[in-house]
Every structure is written in C-alpha cells, then in structure tokens.
Amino acid sequence: MDRHHFYRDTWAEINLDKISRNVKSFKKHLPDQKIMAVVKANGYGHGAYQTAVEALASGAELLAVAILDEALALRKQGISEPILVMNRIRPEYVSLAAENEISVTVFQKEWLDEASDFLKETEKSLKIHIKLDTGMGRVGITEATELYDISLLINNSSKCEIEGVFTHFATADEWESPLFEEQRKRFIKQIDLLEKWGITPKYFHSANSAAALRKVEGPFNLVRLGISMYGLSPSAEMKEKLPFPLEEAFSLHSQLVHIKKLSPGDTVSYGATYAAKEEEWVGTLPIGYADGWQRRLSPGAEVLIRGERVPIIGRICMDQCMVRLPYKMEVGEKATLIGTQNDQTIEMDEIASLANTINYEIPCLISSRVPRVFVKKGRISENMNVILNF
Ligand code: PMH
C-alpha cells in the first residue's frame, strides 16, 4: 500500500476499472443513447472528479451534479465536457453558470424572470434543461400552460437556449409499477406538445439507472446514470434480473491497531453492551461513526480478516470499533469492511440492509475523513485526502 498522502490505517478503495467496464456495458446495452454520468455528492462518495474522468473516457459524454458548487469544482479541475446542475440554482448566479458553460435546470417562471436580469451581466448564453414533474413530486413543471410560457420565453431570448427537457421517475426500480408507466406517458405527451409549439431541444431524458437498465421506451436520447455506474443495483428487485453484471467499485478497508485477550465477564465499548463469555481475542479497528461507519451497524455487521467473517462487538465509537477474532492476531492485519477477501465478499447491499437503508446512502456517508485510493489499470493511480487537501 502506497501511503503517500495519507497517514491513517483506514481507507476506501475506488476501482476505476470497474466503473469503466460498467459504463462500457451500458454503451453496449443502449448504443443509441448518450450517457450523462451522475457524479453529484462526490460521485456518490466515489470521488467526483476521478469518476467523471473515467466515465468520460469510457463512453459517457456529459456529467450531472446536484449543485452549482459541484459543477464549478469540476470545471476548476479542468473538465470541459457539458455539465448539468439538476437542482435549482439561485437566479443571481446564472452569469457564473453561463461563463463556466454549466447548464442549469429550470422549472419556475419567476426564476426565469429574475434570471433574465442577471443574464444581462454576461455575453455568454445560458444553456437550460427544463424539468418536468411527471409524478416524482419533487421539483418540476406540472402544467402544460406553464411549460408553454417557460419554453417560449427561453426560445425567444437571445441570452438562453433550451438544451434539454427532462423528468425523473419515482418507481423505475419496481418491475410492476403503474406510476412508472404513467410518468413515461405524461412525459411523452409533453414532448409532443413542445414539438407542436416548434421547440426542438437537443436532449430528451428521463432514465435513471433503473429505467436505463430496463430500457424505457420513448423518444429519449440520453440516460442519467448514477448508482449503476458505481456497480450497485438500484433495488433488490432489479438485482435479480440485471441485463448484464455490474461491478461494485467501492471497497472499505482498515487495519487492526490493537489486540487483546478478554477474560470471561470483561466488557467492550460504551455502555458495556458486550461481555465476553469465555477467553476471547479482540481487535480494535480505527474506523467509527465519524467516518460514516454508522453506530447502528453493531451488533450485526461483520468484517473480513484473512478471508474470514468476524463480528463487530459492542458499540461503534466515533473513531474506533472492536471485532472478535477467532484467534490471536498481530497489529497491522488488514480488515475489509466492504469488499472482497479471498472467496468472501461483504457487499454494499449487506451493509445497507443492516443500516436499514439503501445502498446509495452507504458510500455517500463514508466521510471525507476517509481517504480514497484510486485503482486504475490494476494499480494505484491516485490518493485523495480531503483533510490534507490532497
Ligand atoms: N437524475 C436525477 C434527477 C437524480 O436525482 C438521480 C439520483 C439520478 C438521475 C441518478 O439516479 P440513479 O443513481 O438511480 O441512476 N438521485 C437520487 C436522489 O435524489 N436520491 O437518491 C438518488
């Protein structure tokens, strides 16, 4: 392990080769669709910049983030491909977006009125994706009259242009969902209206990973891939019937920093919730809930050491947790909390299920205190340590 750039005994490994293969599989699966790689929230915890570069090199042509800051960060790091901010930005920042060639999402007429004033400050034209709410109930235009007003206003403005029109599915990850079908139909209807009004954006997009995996039908030419690009299934239901294998890119590792023998009755951690029944070997791992290794994972979670599953015992602390060892081991022994050792694997889905949540949340919550080690072409290519600004 190359320790350059970080000094702690806990790290996440991001296998960029797997992300690359996942994107390439999608390209084969949907040869006629452009791929927009969703790298918001630091690439779902995988590293936004590194994931973006890898996805773009593997067939993705556009990027998406949630907030303007994330888009600006990618521009600062030298990414020149199109980036869409999918959430509302403040109207006063439209010139900043335009100057950085960042596309924005619009779904309010008042926003457009305000933004028009601020666009006078810049020479550049603002690229807009109009967001339709077809049933997600989050943000988006719901009324055809509003769509008419907004799309014509943009179309007639010399300062902005409609680059895309999109919607988002609420239940694409459920095989039998009337809402999914309903949303698809509503979106197509609105696309037909736009056509009638003579508005012809470059991109029509609706699909997230789930809809892309199941090939949603319609006049769409772009898919927004998040979770599946990272190698995770959008739902347990879909995991059973994936059209091609997905490769999990994220793994989490630590090393034993202390070993001790407990006598019967000795207790472990806050609250003394674990008591040894017999003589037992216990190891300490330097990872805790401040790293995003959630307190609720114990009791229940196991880690891999020497390819064997060993249980976490007692309460997970802020920076450390304890594991029961099958026998005496040495300080420095590697522990895998998510990932593979020998023929044993702890999947993201196992951890999500123990934390009573979905796989999306687990890597997003692995905090910036955990350095990311990137593997490319089978070798460590880069380390990211936010604490030390590397
Ligand atoms: N498009 C939009 C508008 C999204 O919000 C998301 C994910 C994606 C695409 C990618 O979806 P995927 O990761 O399922 O492929 N957004 C969220 C969210 O807001 N909460 O969980 C996932």
Side-chain angles (χ1 to χ4, degrees):
M1 156 96 351
D2 171 15
R3 278 304 164 77
H4 194 48
H5 290 166
F6 70 93
Y7 306 99
R8 66 178 300 191
D9 289 321
T10 294
W11 69 98
E13 187 178 295
I14 317 300
N15 191 316
L16 296 171
D17 300 332
K18 293 186 177 182
I19 290 177
S20 172
R21 288 195 289 270
N22 293 332
V23 173
K24 284 178 181 159
S25 297
F26 263 105
K27 206 63 213 162
K28 257 192 222 150
H29 181 62
L30 297 167
D32 302 328
Q33 302 276 324
K34 287 201 188 272
I35 294 176
M36 177 182 264
V38 181
V39 296
K40 58 182 177 163
N42 193 28
Y44 294 28
H46 293 64
Y49 172 73
Q50 291 81 358
T51 301
V53 168
E54 196 61 34
L56 290 167
S58 309
E61 291 174 68
L62 308 94
L63 301 171
V65 292
I67 61 177
L68 184 56
D69 306 59
E70 293 175 323
L72 290 168
L74 292 171
R75 283 282 178 264
K76 265 195 181 165
Q77 291 171 99
I79 289 186
S80 57
E81 280 81 357
I83 306 178
L84 170 65
V85 177
M86 299 190 291
N87 291 359
R88 183 189 192 271
I89 73 163
R90 287 212 213 156
E92 55 260 50
Y93 299 140
V94 285
S95 48
L96 184 63
E99 276 154 21
N100 285 280
E101 293 186 33
I102 291 166
S103 306
V104 303
T105 296
V106 173
F107 47 85
Q108 293 156 337
K109 185 170 173 304
E110 307 71 42
W111 184 96
L112 204 54
D113 293 338
E114 269 190 70
S116 305
D117 279 341
F118 291 103
L119 277 174
K120 291 181 188 135
E121 296 167 9
T122 173
E123 295 292 304
K124 290 250 185 179
S125 159
L126 180 72
K127 287 187 175 141
I128 290 174
H129 288 235
I130 298 178
K131 178 78 183 276
L132 300 170
D133 183 357
T134 54
M136 174 66 183
R138 193 164 61 177
V139 293
I141 299 169
T142 49
E143 301 298 324
T145 51
E146 211 181 345
L147 176 61
Y148 183 80
D149 289 347
I150 290 180
S151 54
L152 265 82
L153 263 176
I154 304 173
N155 225 30
N156 296 334
S157 160
S158 59
K159 279 308 188 63
C160 50
E161 61 188 277
I162 307 175
E163 184 181 42
V165 176
F166 74 116
T167 195
H168 190 55
F169 292 114
T171 58
D173 60 343
E174 299 169 22
W175 287 113
E176 305 291 333
S177 167
L179 178 60
F180 175 64
E181 186 48 26
E182 187 56 39
Q183 283 196 265
R184 191 184 71 86
K185 283 191 193 144
R186 283 181 194 152
F187 188 41
I188 293 174
K189 228 185 208 169
Q190 281 154 325
I191 291 175
D192 289 346
L193 280 178
L194 286 169
E195 197 171 36
K196 213 173 80 186
W197 302 330
I199 291 163
T200 51
K202 194 164 166 194
Y203 300 118
F204 292 102
H205 48 118
S206 65
N208 53 3
S209 291
L213 284 164
R214 67 197 285 177
K215 293 191 178 177
V216 60
E217 277 175 42
F220 318 130
N221 52 8
L222 185 156
V223 296
R224 304 186 303 272
L225 295 185
I227 199 73
S228 55
M229 178 175 72
Y230 303 105
L232 301 168
S233 171
S235 66
E237 223 179 305
M238 298 208 70
K239 197 174 181 180
E240 286 164 24
K241 294 190 229 169
L242 292 173
F244 50 85
L246 293 172
E247 299 185 52
E248 272 194 50
F250 188 102
S251 59
L252 182 64
H253 310 274
S254 189
Q255 285 180 333
L256 292 174
V257 291
H258 184 59
I259 318 276
K260 63 177 171 286
K261 190 155 107 179
L262 297 187
S263 302
D266 285 350
T267 62
V268 170
S269 197
Y270 287 115
T273 56
Y274 181 86
K277 289 195 188 67
E278 52 198 357
E279 285 201 338
E280 292 174 17
W281 287 100
V282 167
T284 301
L285 292 173
I287 181 169
Y289 64 77
D291 298 306
W293 194 243
Q294 299 170 57
R295 202 169 171 273
R296 60 169 63 183
L297 289 170
S298 176
E302 296 173 323
V303 310
L304 300 175
I305 298 182
R306 295 193 191 172
E308 270 187 63
R309 282 174 173 263
V310 307
I312 295 179
I313 53 169
R315 291 204 179 130
I316 293 172
C317 309
M318 190 182 292
D319 324 295
Q320 302 180 83
C321 63
M322 276 59 77
V323 290
R324 194 177 65 223
L325 304 173
Y327 44 84
K328 184 172 187 279
M329 288 182 185
E330 299 303 320
V331 164
E333 188 76 42
K334 182 175 175 183
T336 295
L337 296 95
I338 299 169
T340 300
Q341 278 193 6
N342 305 344
D343 58 352
Q344 281 286 328
T345 298
I346 295 175
E347 291 187 344
M348 197 71 80
D349 284 328
E350 178 177 334
I351 300 307
S353 154
L354 286 165
N356 201 13
T357 184
I358 51 172
N359 54 21
Y360 292 69
E361 202 176 335
I362 302 300
C364 281
L365 289 185
I366 297 300
S367 69
S368 57
R369 199 171 78 164
V370 177
R372 267 60 171 179
V373 174
F374 296 93
V375 172
K376 197 165 168 160
K377 298 208 167 72
R379 309 176 63 138
I380 293 173
S381 60
E382 193 181 334
N383 295 323
M384 178 167 73
N385 180 1
V386 173
I387 293 183
L388 286 171
N389 277 329
F390 290 133

